[in-house]
Amino acid sequence: MASSAENVPGAAAGKSRFRNQKSKQENQGDSELLTVPDGWKEPAFSKEDNPRGLLEESSFATLFPKYREAYLKECWPLVQKALNEHHVNATLDLIEGSMTVCTTKKTFDPYIIIRARDLIKLLARSVSFDQAVRILQDDVACDIIKIGSLVRNKERFVKRRQRLIGPKGSTLKALELLTNCYVMVQGNTVSAIGPFSGLKEVRKVVLDTMKNIHPIYNIKTLMIKRELAKDSELRSQSWERFLPQFKHKNVNKRKEPKKKTVKKEYTPFPPPQPESQIDKELASGEYFLKASQKKRQKMEAIKAKQAEAVSKRQEERKKAFIPPKEKPVVKPKEASNETKIDVAAIKEKVKKAKNKKLGALTAEELKLKMEANVYSQKSEK
């Protein structure tokens, strides 16, 4: 008994140590799972993985619009060639306007039929064959986002769809560069081809744009995330402190009503009871009049109203015959004949003109002028 009692605490201590070691291993395992080694790629699915093939035949069909018929006619041999490499048959029905893909006995990859279905869907949504054929690769996926039913007003829908594309397709190009996806906006759908992480971001941006959130906010966030992903230390940390917090501001003020109802001050007493017709007649004394007198009063009131209306009508008619007021004639000011002549100023001008000598200076005058200039220069020094 003593030996068994001694072994119990030792066993409990061993269990606690085992639990701590196990929890440490789990924590280490979680951190290791979060990080994927660089250059790692999932091995391709080959015929050796499924040598016996598929048990049953699977097929998918999709309709395409009339305007895609000419392009599909041209590129259909390339589509068949790409699918034949994976042992999948493809048929184009121009009468019905549909494309069909189905597996064969040689098909070994069970998921290739899903990729073939996505291929014909992308071709129907105006995606070029060069981009759509990428869906047959293992590390590429696609997402067709339906945006037609997200906005009811057609004009608003067209504006938001154009906002997603941006001026000369700049917004869409920025989104493609940040997500490593090919994005095609056509009609009521947005088709995206690329890696899974990029498709998730594209869907978020498209849906937010249709909810009236400008795509520039999401693009800014994606740019910051791209820079943070380069730092190995920040990979396992939360990025919320680095990401911008955009607040929605309603710039448009609420339109004020033309007629504003002013609330009356609250009073605990009820409003006075309105007077009835009999009370009004009693107050004016009309209640005690006879029927003939009441009738006469009504007729007099009607005649007075008619007379007022007639007088107003006559005044309006007379307005057309009233001549307009003429402006007073302003006489032009007569030019004053008297002109003041300054005789003294004229005399001085004449004297100056007489003193002035015309022509070139004489030799004596030139010598005197030169001497005067030399004297003036010496005095200045």
Side-chain angles (χ1 to χ4, degrees):
M1 290 293 287
S3 63
S4 64
E6 287 171 3
N7 292 332
V8 169
K15 280 181 182 178
S16 63
R17 283 175 195 167
F18 178 71
R19 280 175 191 165
N20 291 333
Q21 286 175 0
K22 193 176 181 182
S23 62
K24 284 178 182 177
Q25 286 174 359
E26 283 177 358
N27 292 333
Q28 287 174 359
D30 291 340
S31 62
E32 285 173 4
L33 284 168
L34 289 169
T35 56
V36 178
D38 295 330
W40 181 85
K41 202 175 183 182
E42 193 177 347
F45 191 86
S46 62
K47 197 171 185 179
E48 294 171 2
D49 297 321
N50 187 16
R52 295 183 182 180
L54 305 177
L55 292 171
E56 291 186 10
E57 187 183 300
S58 302
S59 64
F60 288 101
T62 186
L63 298 170
F64 60 86
K66 185 75 175 173
Y67 60 85
R68 289 292 287 169
E69 189 177 318
Y71 180 77
L72 290 171
K73 248 184 185 180
E74 288 178 13
C75 72
W76 196 250
L78 298 170
V79 174
Q80 285 180 324
K81 188 182 176 183
L83 291 173
N84 283 337
E85 289 176 7
H86 299 277
H87 308 289
V88 176
N89 286 337
T91 53
L92 177 68
D93 190 352
L94 295 172
I95 297 162
E96 193 182 340
S98 67
M99 293 179 281
T100 313
V101 287
C102 61
T103 57
T104 60
K105 290 179 181 180
K106 291 181 181 179
T107 309
F108 60 88
D109 188 355
Y111 195 70
I112 196 66
I113 189 65
I114 303 296
R115 293 190 178 281
R117 178 202 65 183
D118 292 339
L119 172 64
I120 58 173
K121 272 189 178 181
L122 291 167
L123 289 169
R125 293 314 310 149
S126 295
V127 179
S128 62
F129 171 75
D130 298 335
Q131 292 292 339
V133 80
R134 286 171 55 209
I135 198 66
L136 299 175
Q137 298 170 17
D138 288 337
D139 57 343
V140 179
C142 77
D143 190 8
I144 297 167
I145 307 155
K146 293 178 181 178
I147 56 172
S149 59
L150 297 175
V151 184
R152 287 184 180 180
N153 192 351
K154 193 178 179 182
E155 290 179 4
R156 200 173 290 168
F157 167 74
V158 171
K159 277 183 182 179
R160 290 181 189 177
R161 187 179 63 182
Q162 186 58 38
R163 193 184 294 167
L164 179 65
I165 296 164
K168 296 180 182 178
S170 58
T171 309
L172 206 64
K173 190 70 180 172
L175 187 63
E176 286 179 354
L177 290 168
L178 289 165
T179 56
N180 296 323
C181 293
Y182 171 79
V183 186
M184 177 75 184
V185 180
Q186 175 68 23
N188 293 335
T189 57
V190 178
S191 308
I193 307 163
F196 290 100
S197 57
L199 292 174
K200 190 180 175 184
E201 295 294 344
V202 169
R203 178 171 273 273
K204 185 180 179 297
V205 173
V206 170
L207 294 177
D208 282 353
T209 306
M210 289 295 126
K211 289 175 186 173
N212 202 22
I213 298 167
H214 204 281
I216 197 70
Y217 298 132
N218 286 312
I219 286 167
K220 216 169 191 178
T221 307
L222 286 171
M223 287 169 75
I224 293 163
K225 282 182 179 178
R226 194 180 189 183
E227 292 299 318
L228 291 168
K230 291 176 183 178
D231 194 348
S232 57
E233 292 179 2
L234 293 169
R235 280 184 184 177
S236 58
Q237 295 179 16
S238 177
W239 292 349
E240 286 183 9
R241 57 201 170 110
F242 301 110
L243 300 176
Q245 299 292 327
F246 299 108
K247 290 181 181 177
H248 182 70
K249 291 181 181 178
N250 190 9
V251 179
N252 297 328
K253 290 182 180 178
R254 182 177 166 271
K255 289 182 180 178
E256 294 181 357
K258 288 181 180 178
K259 293 180 180 179
K260 291 184 179 179
T261 53
V262 181
K263 287 187 177 181
K264 294 178 182 178
E265 292 182 4
Y266 173 74
T267 52
F269 307 105
Q273 193 173 357
E275 289 184 350
S276 65
Q277 191 67 26
I278 295 166
D279 292 336
K280 288 176 183 177
E281 286 179 359
L282 285 167
S284 62
E286 193 180 343
Y287 183 78
F288 303 103
L289 294 172
K290 292 178 183 178
S292 59
Q293 289 174 335
K294 286 181 182 178
K295 195 174 182 181
R296 197 185 304 144
Q297 275 188 355
K298 281 182 182 179
M299 288 298 293
E300 284 174 0
I302 290 163
K303 282 179 182 178
K305 279 184 181 179
Q306 285 176 351
E308 281 180 13
V310 168
S311 63
K312 281 182 180 178
R313 212 178 296 123
Q314 284 176 353
E315 283 175 5
E316 285 178 1
R317 285 176 182 172
K318 283 176 183 177
K319 279 179 184 177
F321 300 102
I322 296 167
K325 289 182 179 180
E326 293 182 1
K327 292 180 180 179
V329 179
V330 180
K331 290 181 179 180
K333 290 181 179 180
E334 292 180 1
S336 59
N337 294 325
E338 295 177 3
T339 53
K340 291 180 180 180
I341 299 165
D342 194 356
V343 178
I346 292 165
K347 282 180 179 180
E348 283 180 6
K349 282 181 181 179
V350 170
K351 280 180 183 179
K352 285 178 182 178
K354 281 180 180 180
N355 291 334
K356 280 182 182 179
K357 290 181 179 179
L358 299 171
L361 296 171
T362 59
E364 290 177 2
E365 287 175 350
L366 276 169
K367 278 182 184 179
L368 290 168
K369 198 172 186 180
M370 290 288 287
E371 285 173 3
N373 288 336
V374 170
Y375 180 75
S376 63
Q377 285 176 2
K378 284 179 180 178
S379 63
E380 283 176 5
K381 287 177 182 179

